[in-house]
């Protein structure tokens, strides 16, 4: 047999065979360490996951206790205390009307559950609705249902033939308004576009609209204007369409509020969550279900025809409770708001680099869009790989950031995200800002030479 390049027998399948992946062996606070002892500042908390930092002993001890007690039970035969406790803790954080929780192992699964719940909710009401409307430049997960709702052309491209035919509306993106307008003289067409999309799809077919409160990876922390989500809520209500808020990145204090939707004082019908809910100490996600949806299942005694083997497993649920206890005890939501303000103030110094087009976000979710020409906002050609180059310069300096592409149209556009653990300190933020300052300068030089 012909010998293939790299990967020896029994190796972990590398996502990108051309890349070397340093092997991490340990984490502590905002730092992770590889097997050669190199220290990295994890300025993205894994990927918006390690809310309470790495190596948190309070969580580790809880895992040990639960592992020796009960680690697994199947959720269509048994309930378990840790899952019930976690649901109670979550209920103390979510709005009064979102008090019923289904558990998953992550964010994509949570999106799938939300889509299937919406479908069954309308079936129980005798309606054939099944269409979910999403937005361009969004991300809701990698599984096929979630990817169908996702609006990132680059991430969808190879899988298009497998995807469901869900419509997408233009995103809120004030830096490059898709309607060529300028807020506040714009009549919020990005929001009212939802009504047009519902009418085009046929109101009797539309089950839900899904949106991230602040778009994470797909667009680099784009924040809608104050009127945006109230208009979305009103349109959903008028057409009896469920509003799903994807809080997978924005949940649990990331943006300086417990949940991102609190910035707009709007309550969704279904709320998906994952990532920070377990701080990365176990795979965990959830869907918060409103009374409106729950009551139809309860009154009509409808079974939700769906199960994941690891849903509501006691070990992950215990971890969720331990992380939420720390979130509350250490006042991390408030800290995220305060440290976020500090980070945004310090980040202003990056504007001296001509490649910095826009700095946006809330709390400890900060996005920067890179541009070839600040005056015209012309993006770099995708083949230049501007954000990947920046990430490489950061990595050399021991700083991990999250580079992204496609914020303009799913293919063009470069940005990066910062979303450090909420336990980050001001001196640590200073260091992150300083290293990025150096990396931006190095990238600008390299791009100019290229
Ligand atoms: C907003 C959003 N929703 C859903 C997901 C999917 O979550 P997971 O990767 O845990 O399946 C992600 C992942 O990055 C996300 O950012």
């Amino acid at each position: 047999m012909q010998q293939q390049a790299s990967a020896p027998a029994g190796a972990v399948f590398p996502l990108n065979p051309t890349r070397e992946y340093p092997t991490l062996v340990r984490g502590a606070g905002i730092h992770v360490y590889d097997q050669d002892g190199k220290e990295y500042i994890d300025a993205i908390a894994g990927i918006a996951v390690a809310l309470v930092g790495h190596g948190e002993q309070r969580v580790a001890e809880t895992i040990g206790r639960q592992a020796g007690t009960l680690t697994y039970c199947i959720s269509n035969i048994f309930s378990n205390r840790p899952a019930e406790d976690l649901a109670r803790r979550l209920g103390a954080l979510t709005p009064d009307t979102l008090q019923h929780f289904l558990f998953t192992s992550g964010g994509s699964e949570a999106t799938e559950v939300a889509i299937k719940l919406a479908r069954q909710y309308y079936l129980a009401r005798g309606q054939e609705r099944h269409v979910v409307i999403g937005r361009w430049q969004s991300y809701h997960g990698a599984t096929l249902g979630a990817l169908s709702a996702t609006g990132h052309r680059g991430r969808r491209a190879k899988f298009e033939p497998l995807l469901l035919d869900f419509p997408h509306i233009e995103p809120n993106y004030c830096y490059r308004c898709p309607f060529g307008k300028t807020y506040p003289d714009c009549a919020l067409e990005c929001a009212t576009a939802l009504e047009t999309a519902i009418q085009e799809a046929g109101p009797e077919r539309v089950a839900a609209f899904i949106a991230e409160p602040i778009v994470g990876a797909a667009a680099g922390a784009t924040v809608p204007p104050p009127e945006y989500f109230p208009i979305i809520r009103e349109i959903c209500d008028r057409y009896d369409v469920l509003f799903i808020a994807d809080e997978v990145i924005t949940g649990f204090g990331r943006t300086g509020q417990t949940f991102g939707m609190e910035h707009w004082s709007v309550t969704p019908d279904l709320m998906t969550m994952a990532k920070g809910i377990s701080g990365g100490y176990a795979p965990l996600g959830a869907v918060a279900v409103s009374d409106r949806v729950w009551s139809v299942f309860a009154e009509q005694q409808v079974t939700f025809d769906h199960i994941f083997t690891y849903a509501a497993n006691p070990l992950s649920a215990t971890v969720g409770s331990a992380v939420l206890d720390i979130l509350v005890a250490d006042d991390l939501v408030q800290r995220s708001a305060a440290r976020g303000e500090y980070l945004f103030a310090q980040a202003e110094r990056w504007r001296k680099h001509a490649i910095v087009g826009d700095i946006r976000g809330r709390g400890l979710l900060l996005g920067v869009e890179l541009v070839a020409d600040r005056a015209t906002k012309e993006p770099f050609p995708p083949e230049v790989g501007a954000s990947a180059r920046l990430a490489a310069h950061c990595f050399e300096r021991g700083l991990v950031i999250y580079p992204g592409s496609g914020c303009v149209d799913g293919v063009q556009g470069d940005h990066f995200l910062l979303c450090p653990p909420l336990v980050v300190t001001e001196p640590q933020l200073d260091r992150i800002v300083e290293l990025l300052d150096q990396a931006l300068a190095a990238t600008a030089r390299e791009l100019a030479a290229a």
Side-chain angles (χ1 to χ4, degrees):
M1 239 170 77
Q2 200 185 344
Q3 188 68 32
Q4 294 295 307
S6 59
V12 174
F13 190 110
L15 292 184
N16 178 349
T18 67
R19 267 201 59 187
E20 291 265 333
Y21 295 88
T23 301
L24 289 187
V25 292
R26 189 169 73 82
I30 71 156
H31 295 102
V32 288
Y33 301 84
D34 72 16
Q35 62 184 2
D36 300 322
K38 179 168 177 184
E39 179 183 89
Y40 304 82
I41 297 176
D42 181 6
I44 56 171
I47 183 59
V49 170
L51 216 68
V52 299
H54 299 277
E56 169 54 71
Q57 288 310 302
R58 286 174 287 181
V59 185
E61 282 158 19
T62 315
I63 293 174
R65 266 200 306 281
Q66 188 60 40
T69 310
L70 178 72
T71 53
Y72 183 76
C73 72
I74 184 70
S75 57
N76 64 348
I77 301 179
F78 295 109
S79 182
N80 66 81
R81 284 267 162 72
E84 290 160 9
D85 288 346
L86 176 59
R88 258 193 301 278
R89 277 182 177 77
L90 285 168
L93 300 176
T94 51
D96 287 349
T97 52
L98 282 174
Q99 291 294 313
H100 313 277
F101 300 90
L102 278 154
F103 293 109
T104 68
S105 297
S108 304
E109 287 188 2
T111 306
E112 300 293 337
V113 165
I115 292 172
K116 289 169 94 175
L117 264 178
R119 166 72 176 156
Q120 268 205 249
Y121 165 75
Y122 286 106
L123 276 183
R125 289 179 44 195
Q127 298 186 26
E128 256 308 319
R129 295 178 186 236
H130 61 277
V131 171
V132 176
I133 299 177
R135 305 187 296 177
W136 292 116
Q137 278 75 273
S138 68
Y139 185 65
H140 301 294
T143 49
L144 295 176
L147 195 57
S148 302
T150 288
H152 190 282
R153 288 183 177 86
R155 293 187 184 204
R156 292 167 55 99
K158 292 182 180 130
F159 308 102
E160 280 295 348
L162 307 176
L163 301 182
L164 297 162
D165 187 16
F166 287 165
H168 295 80
I169 62 172
E170 294 296 343
N172 60 273
Y173 189 11
C174 292
Y175 181 62
R176 298 176 188 276
C177 176
F179 303 93
K181 301 279 171 60
T182 306
Y183 179 81
D185 306 318
C186 62
L188 275 293
E189 279 174 70
C190 50
T192 57
L194 176 59
E195 179 163 20
T196 313
I198 293 173
Q199 283 169 347
E200 281 172 8
E204 70 293 346
R205 295 172 68 242
V206 179
F209 171 68
I210 185 166
E212 299 154 81
I214 296 174
V215 177
T222 40
V223 183
E227 302 89 336
Y228 182 83
F229 279 115
I231 295 173
I232 292 289
R233 179 72 268 184
E234 191 277 319
I235 294 170
C236 286
D237 287 343
R238 193 141 40 87
Y239 288 89
D240 188 19
V241 165
L242 295 178
F243 172 34
I244 305 169
D246 179 341
E247 295 264 10
V248 167
I249 282 194
T250 50
F252 306 103
R254 171 56 55 202
T255 69
Q257 294 280 359
T258 305
F259 293 102
M261 285 311 301
E262 291 170 26
H263 291 293
W264 290 269
S265 303
V266 164
T267 305
D269 302 297
L270 299 170
M271 186 193 274
T272 58
M273 29 184 113
K275 292 187 184 279
I277 189 176
S278 72
Y281 290 81
L284 181 63
V287 181
V289 182
S290 59
D291 294 338
R292 167 187 176 181
V293 173
W294 159 246
S295 61
V296 167
F297 283 79
E299 281 159 21
Q300 302 200 22
Q301 307 204 330
V302 172
T303 300
F304 181 40
D305 283 319
H306 171 92
I307 188 161
F308 286 127
T309 295
Y310 282 104
N313 77 80
L315 198 60
S316 294
T318 297
V319 165
S321 286
V323 168
L324 296 189
D325 284 351
I326 293 172
L327 189 82
V328 173
D330 294 0
D331 207 11
L332 292 184
V333 179
Q334 184 43 42
R335 274 172 72 173
S336 169
R339 300 274 147 77
E341 262 183 45
Y342 183 80
L343 173 60
F344 274 85
Q346 302 311 307
E348 282 301 309
R349 68 194 259 200
W350 299 335
R351 289 196 198 272
K352 68 175 178 281
H353 304 288
I355 63 171
V356 170
D358 192 25
I359 302 178
R360 55 200 181 219
R362 284 277 172 89
L364 284 173
L365 180 64
L366 180 147
V368 173
E369 185 166 336
L370 304 175
V371 288
D373 184 325
R374 190 185 273 162
T376 62
K377 302 182 184 177
E378 185 193 339
F380 286 102
E383 59 278 12
V384 167
S387 57
R389 286 175 190 248
L390 176 68
H393 282 292
C394 289
F395 208 70
E396 266 172 29
R397 292 166 171 78
L399 176 69
V400 187
I401 64 166
Y402 189 24
S405 57
C407 55
V408 174
D409 57 7
V411 179
Q412 291 190 89
D414 283 274
H415 65 268
F416 71 88
L417 274 186
L418 292 184
C419 43
L422 306 191
V423 296
V424 69
T425 63
E426 288 186 2
Q428 289 170 336
L429 287 172
D430 289 342
R431 183 74 187 138
I432 292 169
V433 170
E434 164 60 25
L435 290 173
L436 254 159
D437 201 21
Q438 294 173 17
L440 281 163
T443 308
R445 275 196 303 275
E446 191 176 292
L447 289 170

